[in-house]
Amino acid sequence: MSQALNTNAFIAGSWRRGAGGVFPVYDPASGAEIAQVADCTPDDVSAAVDAASEAFNTWRLKGPKERAAILLKIRDGLNNNKETIATILTKENGKPKGEAMGEVGFAASFFEWFAEEGRRQYGETVPSPAASKRMITVRQPVGVAALITPWNFPIGMIGRKVAAALAAGCTCVVKPAEDTPLTALAFAKVCEEAGVPAGVVNVVPCSRSRVQAVGAALCDSPKVQALSFTGSTIVGKWLYQRCGSTIKKLSLELGGDAPFIVFSSANIGKAVEGAMAAKFRNTGQTCVAANRIFVHESVHDEFVKQFAEAIDKELKSGHGLENGVNHGPIINQRQFERLVKMTDESIAAGAKVVRGGKPGGGLFYPPTLLTGVSGDMPVAKEEIFGPVAPILKFREEDEVVRIANTSDMGLAGYFYTNDIAQAWRVAEALEVGMVGVNEPMVSTCEIPFGGVKHSGLGKEGSLHGLDDYTNIKYICFGV
């Protein structure tokens, strides 16, 4: 793949200018403009949906093995161009180059997984209640899938969605986040070079001012049969309502408010190591980031001491392309100001600053550790989405589980304990879709990723990842 940036939309197998002109993309670490990207309108979306709809007529008829061969070529294209794509990702997202490289590999893993899983879309033979009938089920692709992806994992979430859709036999229209369209367009180039047929994968970037109109066009199109979105709960609710008139299949991976609990029996060193990963990966800008950190009163002081030391020792801020940097900027000014406001209000309400707490230059916010946090402070009530770690002290297991479950979110939860009975009790009691017990890194292509309550609908990855892109058809034979 060429080092040159692809800045045009990718529709029906060709690179096109957006009907709305262009919009700028910036490097959040330096503030410099990186490129001017095609600004797509609902008319462009309509063209992309039409192309996907036409391509579906032939793509759906390809055998699972033939589709798998193309998915594996996409996997190879991602792995072979990992350095180039990671550099683009770091420039427009700000995450450290090492994390970006890992994300490209993460995206590639889904194409390998679903290349294999697509060949196992088994139907069923249903025992008939009547001797004169034979009953079976088959799985069939739903049609065109609209895939709306976030800025915090701009290639990882594309991989997780596109791989499942293509393996199921669907075609797709990808609408990337306005902050990170260049990574999505680099992915489109990989698809083109892998021989993906024209119209099977389409990418339509747009500016923030056109996000709602483009999203509405995808929701309102009767040719779009499935919509998958990763992003905020407020936007997810809007999409959910908007899709009602066309009765689409919906998968929504929305906000998180993950509790991270350290019980008295925990290995404190391991708990600190886990908290560092769960809190500060991608500068805290992940939906599964540890949001509220609950620490038992008997180990509170030791945990805070070791956590502060780890922050000092392990985190280095700077541009993600610089050697040794593992802590980047906040994605944009809007998110930065939101983070500053909630942190300042919590400090004013009595939270004590152990580390950080003061904005750096530009969009950089330092790794921040707060103690003395109460449940009514903003950092304990809202999804932080930044490098601020609030510590809340607790005494009893029942108490902390109850408080952890007060959130209307339910994506991920983490806890550390060496009590096996407690591990089972708490893992089953937490109202979340995914639990890490003595482990902060829970996401891989093999597992069903998704939440409960206001954190969304459906599962991505695993054998269940095909469910949102397929219909089960029942066929009854008279004999």
Side-chain angles (χ1 to χ4, degrees):
M1 187 172 73
S2 169
Q3 296 284 336
L5 293 175
N6 294 285
T7 58
N8 285 333
F10 187 66
I11 300 173
S14 64
W15 298 92
R16 305 185 187 182
R17 296 179 179 180
V22 294
F23 69 97
V25 177
Y26 298 99
D27 180 341
S30 67
E33 182 179 302
I34 304 170
Q36 294 277 330
V37 174
D39 195 358
C40 291
T41 68
D43 286 341
D44 295 307
V45 170
S46 180
V49 171
D50 286 347
S53 182
E54 183 176 349
F56 176 65
N57 293 325
T58 52
W59 180 253
R60 68 179 301 184
L61 299 178
K62 291 186 182 294
K65 188 174 182 180
E66 189 176 0
R67 291 198 295 263
I70 294 178
L71 265 66
L72 292 175
K73 287 181 180 178
I74 298 174
R75 175 204 63 185
D76 293 343
L78 289 170
N79 285 328
N80 293 339
N81 293 284
K82 187 178 292 186
E83 180 83 22
T84 298
I85 298 171
T87 299
I88 293 170
L89 198 163
T90 293
K91 285 181 178 178
E92 65 176 356
N93 169 277
K95 71 172 56 180
K97 180 73 171 294
E99 286 191 27
M101 294 279 283
E103 185 181 335
V104 179
F106 178 71
S109 74
F110 285 96
F111 287 93
E112 179 173 316
W113 172 261
F114 282 113
E116 298 166 346
E117 202 62 27
R119 299 181 67 183
R120 292 189 285 270
Q121 295 186 74
Y122 302 137
E124 300 171 322
T125 300
V126 181
S128 175
S132 61
K133 297 178 182 179
R134 300 293 181 268
M135 301 171 173
I136 66 167
T137 66
V138 296
R139 283 187 175 267
Q140 295 184 314
V142 299
V144 177
L147 311 176
I148 304 177
T149 57
W151 52 261
N152 59 336
F153 289 96
I155 192 73
M157 298 305 95
I158 285 177
R160 194 154 70 186
K161 296 178 191 297
V162 172
L166 298 190
C170 296
T171 55
C172 57
V173 177
V174 179
K175 203 297 287 182
E178 64 272 18
D179 290 299
T180 55
L182 295 168
T183 302
L185 294 169
F187 170 76
K189 186 63 177 178
V190 169
C191 291
E192 182 183 42
E193 294 181 349
V196 176
V200 171
V201 174
N202 307 270
V203 179
V204 287
C206 72
S207 61
R208 182 168 180 79
S209 64
R210 286 194 167 89
V211 164
Q212 187 166 347
V214 166
L218 291 169
C219 292
D220 297 346
S221 173
K223 292 182 179 180
V224 174
Q225 297 299 315
L227 186 143
S228 177
F229 169 73
T230 295
S232 71
T233 296
I234 189 169
V235 174
K237 289 180 178 180
W238 182 84
L239 292 168
Y240 197 6
Q241 293 174 330
R242 188 81 188 207
C243 285
S245 63
T246 51
I247 316 294
K248 303 185 193 307
K249 278 209 165 195
L250 274 177
S251 53
L252 303 172
E253 194 263 280
L254 309 177
D257 186 13
F260 186 104
I261 306 170
V262 182
F263 289 104
S264 59
S265 68
N267 179 315
I268 300 304
K270 291 290 186 182
V272 168
E273 182 181 329
M276 289 291 291
K279 177 73 258 184
F280 295 116
R281 183 169 66 104
N282 198 23
T283 318
Q285 300 173 111
T286 77
C287 52
V288 293
N291 207 57
R292 298 163 294 157
I293 302 176
F294 301 95
V295 183
H296 192 271
E297 60 183 11
S298 66
V299 295
H300 174 274
D301 293 350
E302 182 61 25
F303 178 86
V304 170
K305 173 178 175 292
Q306 291 190 31
F307 199 13
E309 291 171 349
I311 290 172
D312 294 340
K313 180 180 179 181
E314 298 176 20
L315 298 180
K316 179 184 177 182
S317 297
H319 196 292
L321 296 179
E322 298 173 6
N323 289 333
V325 167
N326 57 8
H327 186 82
I330 302 302
I331 186 65
N332 56 40
Q333 189 67 35
R334 185 178 68 260
Q335 293 287 344
F336 182 84
E337 291 174 358
R338 174 184 174 276
L339 178 65
V340 170
K341 182 176 184 291
M342 83 164 60
T343 306
D344 286 352
E345 289 178 352
S346 298
I347 294 170
K352 298 179 181 178
V353 179
V354 179
R355 291 292 186 276
K358 295 291 184 182
L363 296 179
F364 285 91
Y365 197 90
T368 295
L369 177 57
L370 304 176
T371 59
V373 174
S374 60
D376 58 353
M377 294 179 182
V379 291
K381 294 194 301 181
E382 303 173 32
E383 185 177 16
I384 297 168
F385 232 69
V388 176
I391 308 296
L392 297 87
K393 192 182 293 187
F394 76 93
R395 179 176 296 175
E396 301 292 339
E397 177 187 311
D398 289 348
E399 167 201 6
V400 74
V401 170
R402 178 183 58 79
I403 295 172
N405 287 340
T406 57
S407 174
D408 60 5
M409 306 291 185
L411 187 57
Y414 312 90
F415 65 91
Y416 279 70
T417 180
N418 279 327
D419 180 337
I420 188 63
Q422 183 177 61
W424 278 107
R425 287 195 306 270
V426 176
E428 294 184 354
L430 288 177
E431 295 172 358
V432 297
M434 301 174 287
V435 180
V437 184
N438 299 329
E439 175 55 55
M441 307 297 282
V442 298
S443 185
T444 71
C445 61
E446 293 88 355
I447 63 98
F449 189 101
V452 298
K453 299 196 282 191
H454 289 193
S455 286
L457 304 166
K459 299 294 183 181
E460 295 187 310
S462 82
L463 63 94
H464 302 291
L466 295 171
D467 292 348
D468 290 319
Y469 303 101
T470 57
N471 291 320
I472 296 176
K473 177 180 283 186
Y474 157 57
I475 304 171
C476 181
F477 292 90
V479 295

